[in-house]
Amino acid sequence: MALIDGNNFYASCEAVMDPSLLGRPLVVLSNNDGCIVSRSAEARRLGIAMGTPYFQVQRQLERLGVEVRSSNYALYADMSQRLMATLERWVEELEVYSIDEAFGLLSRREGEDLSSWGRQVRRAVRRELGLPVAVGLASTKVLAKLANRLAKTQPAHGHVFDLEAQADPTPWLEQVAIEDVWGIGRRLARWCRLRGVADARALRDMPSGELRQKCGVVGLRLQQELRGHRCLPLTLVPPPKQETCVSRSFSQPVRTADALRQALATYTVRAAEKLRRQHQRAGALSVFVRSNPFNGTSFYSNSATVTLAVPSNDTAVLLAAALPLAETLFRPCHPLQKAGVLLLQLQGEEQLQHHLLQPLPPEQQQRRAALMAVLDRLNRRYGSGTVRWAACGLQPAWAMRRERLSRAATTRLEAIPRVLAR
């Protein structure tokens, strides 16, 4: 089992698009340029902490010469797809675990050290995409996670670590704190510490009965994985989603019903696109809003839900259901900080239960599906927002603040770099 993980993925993607950032401290900010969510290796060495609010360290970053970028999700998602497509060629089976992580299954001859294979993968990804990755190799998923962490924290191994090739893996497990074991949360880590279990080796060797009493079969699977027994198979096809949510914090408080309708329309359009990409329909839609709990006024939070007569992924149908809810949720005396749309009762496209009193002619259903497919194709090819719904507005003042946004050179034609040769 191999775990291939992109190093400082967001920051690395930014450096791919702007080579002048290579070797320089760089941080990437969250929505509305709020907190630091990714740091280059150089920024880490300066002691810049993950999750720090940007306004608290803005002057410090300027003084240290740290480059700052807003989150460019279109770029990161596209680079992630390219990364996974590259990795598929190197493994027998691949599970995409997150935007920058993937588990891979490959064969090992008895006594074989796969470190050279890992170095080949790193070179291929660097050559084709410009991204640095770390490779951890072991017999199980949990051990591969530990090996990947050791690959990053042990410079002598060059970001590749094969745990199975070690004569005795126990000393290496002792170097991984209990808090850094995959599947161990903060509360469980504290429970382990109180019982003297401070590292991965101690967790592997602790009495199984005590662990089962605390964590049940999930804890036993984790312990068995640490002992080299594979209990977590690869998930090659992700399970169907039970719900889809799109929500954002506003760059400035929303104080009018029109602005709230625009925001909810924008989020509904995005949720419908995601729903069609998942090949699903929604049977119900929920809208929620909330104010800022720290602005000195009374906190307001509310939601409303509507059930669709016929499950749908048609943007027009979902907009017709969502927009009337804005009127019921808006309160003039409560400026809103955040809103969101949640699609519920999801079902696959292959099944559709019609409504007896609201029949939908097959011809009309096919025309609507073809129209949605054309809109999605245009926005994928020419960039998100190429074809917009009027209800979303053109340049809303509440839109997410991204003052340091880089160009989406892999997904928008107008953002492709131009090179002048003389």
Side-chain angles (χ1 to χ4, degrees), residues 281-341:
R281 294 186 177 94
L285 180 147
S286 181
V287 170
F288 61 90
V289 298
R290 77 178 190 191
S291 64
N292 188 345
F294 308 107
N295 64 355
T297 62
S298 59
F299 178 67
Y300 171 69
S301 177
N302 204 351
S303 65
T305 302
V306 60
T307 300
L308 304 180
V310 178
S312 177
N313 57 18
D314 188 319
T315 301
V317 173
L318 297 176
L319 283 173
L323 294 184
L325 300 180
E327 302 294 339
T328 65
L329 298 178
F330 179 72
R331 300 290 185 274
C333 57
H334 291 289
L336 299 176
Q337 180 199 37
K338 185 175 183 178
V341 174

Coordinates of all heavy atoms in Angstrom, one line a residue, residues 281-341:
R281 N -30.2 13.5 -8.3 CA -31.3 14.5 -8.2 C -31.6 14.7 -6.7 O -31.4 13.8 -5.9 CB -32.5 14.0 -8.9 CG -32.4 13.9 -10.4 CD -33.8 13.5 -11.0 NE -33.7 13.4 -12.4 CZ -33.5 12.3 -13.1 NH1 -33.3 11.2 -12.5 NH2 -33.5 12.4 -14.5
A282 N -32.1 15.9 -6.4 CA -32.5 16.2 -5.0 C -34.0 16.2 -4.8 O -34.7 16.7 -5.7 CB -31.9 17.6 -4.6
G283 N -34.4 15.6 -3.7 CA -35.9 15.6 -3.4 C -36.3 16.7 -2.5 O -37.5 17.0 -2.3
A284 N -35.3 17.4 -1.9 CA -35.7 18.5 -1.0 C -34.5 19.5 -0.9 O -33.4 19.2 -1.3 CB -35.9 18.0 0.5
L285 N -34.8 20.7 -0.6 CA -33.8 21.8 -0.5 C -34.0 22.6 0.7 O -35.1 22.9 1.1 CB -34.0 22.7 -1.8 CG -33.1 23.9 -1.9 CD1 -32.8 24.1 -3.4 CD2 -33.7 25.1 -1.3
S286 N -32.9 22.9 1.4 CA -32.9 23.7 2.6 C -32.0 24.9 2.5 O -30.9 24.8 1.9 CB -32.4 22.8 3.8 OG -32.5 23.5 5.0
V287 N -32.4 26.0 3.0 CA -31.6 27.2 3.0 C -31.4 27.7 4.4 O -32.3 27.6 5.3 CB -32.4 28.3 2.2 CG1 -31.7 29.7 2.4 CG2 -32.4 28.0 0.7
F288 N -30.2 28.1 4.7 CA -29.9 28.6 6.1 C -29.2 29.9 6.0 O -28.4 30.2 5.1 CB -29.2 27.6 6.9 CG -27.8 27.2 6.4 CD1 -26.7 27.9 6.7 CD2 -27.7 26.2 5.5 CE1 -25.4 27.6 6.2 CE2 -26.4 25.8 5.0 CZ -25.3 26.5 5.3
V289 N -29.4 30.8 7.1 CA -28.7 32.1 7.2 C -28.3 32.2 8.6 O -28.8 31.6 9.5 CB -29.6 33.2 6.7 CG1 -30.0 33.1 5.3 CG2 -30.8 33.3 7.6
R290 N -27.3 33.1 8.8 CA -26.9 33.5 10.2 C -26.2 34.8 10.2 O -25.6 35.2 9.2 CB -26.0 32.4 10.8 CG -24.6 32.4 10.3 CD -23.7 31.3 11.0 NE -22.3 31.5 10.7 CZ -21.4 30.6 11.0 NH1 -21.8 29.5 11.6 NH2 -20.1 30.8 10.7
S291 N -26.3 35.5 11.3 CA -25.6 36.8 11.5 C -24.2 36.5 12.2 O -23.9 35.4 12.5 CB -26.4 37.7 12.2 OG -26.7 37.2 13.6
N292 N -23.5 37.6 12.4 CA -22.2 37.5 13.1 C -22.4 37.5 14.6 O -23.0 38.4 15.1 CB -21.4 38.7 12.7 CG -19.9 38.6 13.2 OD1 -19.6 37.8 14.1 ND2 -19.1 39.5 12.7
P293 N -22.0 36.4 15.3 CA -22.2 36.4 16.7 C -21.3 37.3 17.5 O -21.5 37.4 18.7 CB -22.0 34.9 17.0 CG -21.0 34.5 16.0 CD -21.4 35.2 14.7
F294 N -20.4 38.0 16.8 CA -19.4 38.8 17.6 C -19.5 40.3 17.3 O -18.5 41.0 17.6 CB -18.0 38.3 17.3 CG -17.8 36.8 17.5 CD1 -17.7 35.9 16.4 CD2 -17.8 36.3 18.8 CE1 -17.5 34.6 16.6 CE2 -17.6 34.9 19.0 CZ -17.5 34.1 17.9
N295 N -20.5 40.7 16.6 CA -20.6 42.1 16.3 C -21.3 43.0 17.3 O -21.7 44.1 17.0 CB -21.3 42.3 14.9 CG -22.7 41.8 14.9 OD1 -23.2 41.3 15.9 ND2 -23.4 42.0 13.8
G296 N -21.6 42.4 18.4 CA -22.3 43.2 19.5 C -23.8 43.3 19.5 O -24.4 43.9 20.3
T297 N -24.4 42.7 18.4 CA -25.9 42.7 18.3 C -26.4 41.3 18.6 O -25.6 40.3 18.8 CB -26.3 43.1 17.0 OG1 -25.8 42.2 16.0 CG2 -25.8 44.5 16.6
S298 N -27.7 41.1 18.7 CA -28.3 39.8 19.0 C -28.0 38.9 17.8 O -28.1 39.3 16.7 CB -29.8 39.9 19.3 OG -30.4 40.5 18.2
F299 N -27.7 37.6 18.2 CA -27.4 36.7 17.1 C -28.6 36.1 16.5 O -29.6 35.8 17.2 CB -26.6 35.5 17.7 CG -26.2 34.4 16.8 CD1 -25.4 34.6 15.7 CD2 -26.8 33.1 16.9 CE1 -25.1 33.6 14.8 CE2 -26.5 32.1 16.0 CZ -25.6 32.4 15.0
Y300 N -28.6 36.0 15.2 CA -29.8 35.5 14.4 C -29.3 34.3 13.6 O -28.4 34.4 12.8 CB -30.4 36.6 13.6 CG -31.5 36.1 12.6 CD1 -32.7 35.6 13.1 CD2 -31.3 36.1 11.3 CE1 -33.7 35.2 12.2 CE2 -32.2 35.6 10.4 CZ -33.4 35.2 10.9 OH -34.4 34.7 10.0
S301 N -30.1 33.2 13.6 CA -29.8 32.1 12.8 C -31.1 31.4 12.5 O -32.0 31.2 13.4 CB -28.9 31.1 13.5 OG -28.7 29.9 12.7
N302 N -31.3 31.0 11.2 CA -32.6 30.5 10.8 C -32.4 29.6 9.6 O -31.4 29.8 8.9 CB -33.6 31.6 10.6 CG -35.1 31.1 10.8 OD1 -35.3 29.9 10.9 ND2 -36.0 32.0 10.7
S303 N -33.4 28.8 9.3 CA -33.4 27.9 8.1 C -34.8 27.6 7.7 O -35.7 27.7 8.5 CB -32.6 26.6 8.4 OG -33.3 25.8 9.4
A304 N -34.9 27.2 6.5 CA -36.2 26.8 5.9 C -36.0 25.7 4.9 O -35.0 25.7 4.2 CB -36.9 28.0 5.3
T305 N -36.9 24.8 4.8 CA -36.8 23.6 3.9 C -38.1 23.4 3.1 O -39.2 23.7 3.6 CB -36.6 22.3 4.7 OG1 -35.4 22.5 5.5 CG2 -36.4 21.1 3.8
V306 N -37.9 23.1 1.8 CA -39.0 22.8 0.9 C -38.8 21.4 0.3 O -37.6 21.1 -0.1 CB -39.2 23.9 -0.1 CG1 -37.9 24.0 -1.0 CG2 -40.4 23.7 -1.0
T307 N -39.8 20.7 0.1 CA -39.8 19.4 -0.6 C -40.2 19.6 -2.0 O -41.3 20.2 -2.3 CB -40.6 18.3 0.1 OG1 -40.2 18.2 1.5 CG2 -40.6 17.0 -0.6
L308 N -39.5 19.0 -3.0 CA -39.8 19.1 -4.4 C -40.9 18.1 -4.7 O -40.8 16.9 -4.2 CB -38.6 18.9 -5.2 CG -37.4 19.9 -5.0 CD1 -36.2 19.6 -5.9 CD2 -37.8 21.3 -5.1
A309 N -41.8 18.4 -5.6 CA -42.8 17.5 -6.0 C -42.2 16.3 -6.8 O -42.6 15.2 -6.6 CB -43.9 18.2 -6.9
V310 N -41.2 16.6 -7.6 CA -40.5 15.6 -8.4 C -39.0 15.9 -8.2 O -38.5 17.0 -8.4 CB -40.8 15.7 -9.9 CG1 -40.0 14.6 -10.6 CG2 -42.3 15.4 -10.1
P311 N -38.2 14.9 -7.7 CA -36.7 15.2 -7.5 C -36.1 15.7 -8.8 O -36.5 15.3 -9.9 CB -36.2 13.8 -7.2 CG -37.4 13.1 -6.6 CD -38.6 13.6 -7.3
S312 N -35.2 16.6 -8.7 CA -34.6 17.3 -9.9 C -33.2 17.8 -9.6 O -32.8 18.0 -8.5 CB -35.5 18.5 -10.2 OG -35.0 19.2 -11.3
N313 N -32.4 17.9 -10.7 CA -31.2 18.6 -10.7 C -31.1 19.8 -11.7 O -30.1 20.3 -12.0 CB -30.0 17.6 -11.0 CG -30.2 16.9 -12.3 OD1 -30.9 17.3 -13.2 ND2 -29.4 15.8 -12.5
D314 N -32.3 20.2 -12.1 CA -32.5 21.3 -13.0 C -32.3 22.6 -12.2 O -33.0 22.8 -11.2 CB -33.9 21.2 -13.7 CG -34.0 22.3 -14.8 OD1 -33.6 23.4 -14.6 OD2 -34.6 21.9 -15.8
T315 N -31.4 23.4 -12.7 CA -31.1 24.7 -11.9 C -32.3 25.5 -11.8 O -32.6 26.1 -10.7 CB -30.0 25.4 -12.6 OG1 -28.8 24.6 -12.7 CG2 -29.7 26.7 -11.9
A316 N -33.2 25.6 -12.9 CA -34.3 26.5 -12.8 C -35.3 26.0 -11.8 O -36.0 26.8 -11.1 CB -35.0 26.5 -14.2
V317 N -35.5 24.7 -11.7 CA -36.4 24.1 -10.7 C -35.9 24.4 -9.3 O -36.7 24.8 -8.4 CB -36.6 22.6 -10.9 CG1 -37.4 21.9 -9.8 CG2 -37.2 22.3 -12.3
L318 N -34.6 24.2 -9.0 CA -34.1 24.5 -7.7 C -34.1 25.9 -7.3 O -34.3 26.3 -6.2 CB -32.6 23.9 -7.7 CG -32.5 22.4 -7.9 CD1 -31.0 22.0 -7.9 CD2 -33.3 21.6 -6.8
L319 N -33.9 26.8 -8.3 CA -34.0 28.2 -8.0 C -35.4 28.6 -7.7 O -35.6 29.4 -6.7 CB -33.5 29.0 -9.3 CG -32.0 29.2 -9.5 CD1 -31.8 29.8 -10.8 CD2 -31.4 29.9 -8.4
A320 N -36.4 28.1 -8.4 CA -37.8 28.4 -8.1 C -38.1 27.9 -6.7 O -39.0 28.5 -6.0 CB -38.7 27.7 -9.1
A321 N -37.5 26.9 -6.1 CA -37.8 26.4 -4.8 C -37.0 27.2 -3.7 O -37.5 27.5 -2.6 CB -37.4 24.9 -4.7
A322 N -35.8 27.7 -4.1 CA -34.9 28.3 -3.1 C -35.2 29.8 -2.9 O -35.2 30.3 -1.8 CB -33.4 28.1 -3.5
L323 N -35.5 30.5 -4.0 CA -35.6 32.0 -3.8 C -36.7 32.5 -3.0 O -36.6 33.4 -2.2 CB -35.7 32.6 -5.3 CG -34.4 32.5 -6.1 CD1 -34.6 33.2 -7.4 CD2 -33.2 33.0 -5.4
P324 N -37.9 31.8 -3.0 CA -39.0 32.3 -2.1 C -38.6 32.1 -0.6 O -39.2 32.9 0.2 CB -40.2 31.4 -2.5 CG -39.9 30.9 -3.9 CD -38.4 30.8 -4.0
L325 N -37.7 31.2 -0.3 CA -37.3 31.1 1.1 C -36.5 32.3 1.6 O -36.5 32.5 2.8 CB -36.5 29.8 1.2 CG -37.1 28.5 0.8 CD1 -36.2 27.3 1.0 CD2 -38.4 28.3 1.6
A326 N -35.9 33.0 0.7 CA -35.1 34.2 1.1 C -36.1 35.2 1.8 O -35.6 35.8 2.8 CB -34.5 34.9 -0.1
E327 N -37.3 35.4 1.3 CA -38.2 36.3 2.0 C -38.6 35.9 3.4 O -38.7 36.7 4.3 CB -39.5 36.4 1.1 CG -39.2 36.8 -0.3 CD -38.7 38.2 -0.4 OE1 -38.9 39.0 0.5 OE2 -38.1 38.6 -1.4
T328 N -38.7 34.6 3.6 CA -39.1 34.1 5.0 C -37.9 34.2 6.0 O -38.2 34.2 7.2 CB -39.6 32.7 4.9 OG1 -38.5 31.8 4.5 CG2 -40.7 32.5 3.8
L329 N -36.7 34.2 5.5 CA -35.5 34.2 6.4 C -34.9 35.6 6.6 O -34.2 35.8 7.6 CB -34.4 33.3 5.8 CG -34.8 31.8 5.6 CD1 -33.7 31.0 5.0 CD2 -35.2 31.2 7.0
F330 N -35.2 36.5 5.7 CA -34.5 37.8 5.9 C -35.1 38.6 7.0 O -36.3 38.7 7.2 CB -34.6 38.6 4.5 CG -34.0 39.9 4.6 CD1 -32.6 40.1 4.7 CD2 -34.8 41.1 4.7 CE1 -32.0 41.3 4.7 CE2 -34.2 42.3 4.7 CZ -32.8 42.5 4.8
R331 N -34.3 39.3 7.8 CA -34.7 40.2 8.9 C -33.9 41.5 8.7 O -32.6 41.5 8.8 CB -34.4 39.6 10.2 CG -35.1 38.3 10.5 CD -36.6 38.5 10.7 NE -37.3 37.2 11.0 CZ -37.7 36.3 10.2 NH1 -37.5 36.5 8.9 NH2 -38.3 35.2 10.6
P332 N -34.5 42.6 8.4 CA -33.8 43.9 8.2 C -32.9 44.3 9.4 O -31.9 44.9 9.2 CB -34.9 44.9 8.0 CG -36.1 44.1 7.6 CD -36.0 42.8 8.3
C333 N -33.3 43.9 10.6 CA -32.5 44.3 11.7 C -31.3 43.4 12.0 O -30.6 43.6 13.0 CB -33.4 44.4 13.0 SG -34.2 42.8 13.3
H334 N -31.1 42.4 11.2 CA -30.0 41.4 11.5 C -29.2 41.3 10.2 O -29.5 40.5 9.3 CB -30.6 40.0 11.8 CG -31.2 40.0 13.2 ND1 -30.5 40.1 14.4 CD2 -32.5 39.9 13.6 CE1 -31.3 40.0 15.4 NE2 -32.5 39.9 14.9
P335 N -28.1 42.1 10.1 CA -27.2 41.9 8.9 C -26.6 40.5 8.9 O -26.2 40.0 10.0 CB -26.1 43.0 9.2 CG -26.7 44.0 10.1 CD -27.7 43.2 10.9
L336 N -26.6 39.9 7.8 CA -26.2 38.5 7.7 C -24.8 38.3 7.4 O -24.2 39.0 6.5 CB -27.1 37.7 6.6 CG -28.6 37.7 6.9 CD1 -29.4 37.1 5.8 CD2 -28.9 37.0 8.2
Q337 N -24.1 37.4 8.0 CA -22.7 37.1 7.8 C -22.5 35.9 6.8 O -21.5 35.8 6.1 CB -22.0 36.8 9.1 CG -20.5 36.5 8.9 CD -19.9 35.8 10.1 OE1 -20.6 34.9 10.7 NE2 -18.7 36.1 10.5
K338 N -23.4 34.9 6.8 CA -23.3 33.7 6.1 C -24.6 33.2 5.6 O -25.6 33.3 6.3 CB -22.5 32.7 6.9 CG -22.1 31.4 6.2 CD -21.3 30.5 7.1 CE -20.9 29.2 6.3 NZ -20.0 28.3 7.1
A339 N -24.6 32.5 4.5 CA -25.8 31.8 4.0 C -25.4 30.5 3.3 O -24.2 30.4 2.9 CB -26.7 32.7 3.2
G340 N -26.3 29.6 3.1 CA -26.0 28.4 2.4 C -27.2 27.7 1.9 O -28.3 27.9 2.3
V341 N -27.0 26.8 0.9 CA -28.0 25.9 0.4 C -27.6 24.5 0.5 O -26.5 24.1 0.2 CB -28.2 26.3 -1.1 CG1 -29.2 25.3 -1.8 CG2 -28.7 27.7 -1.3

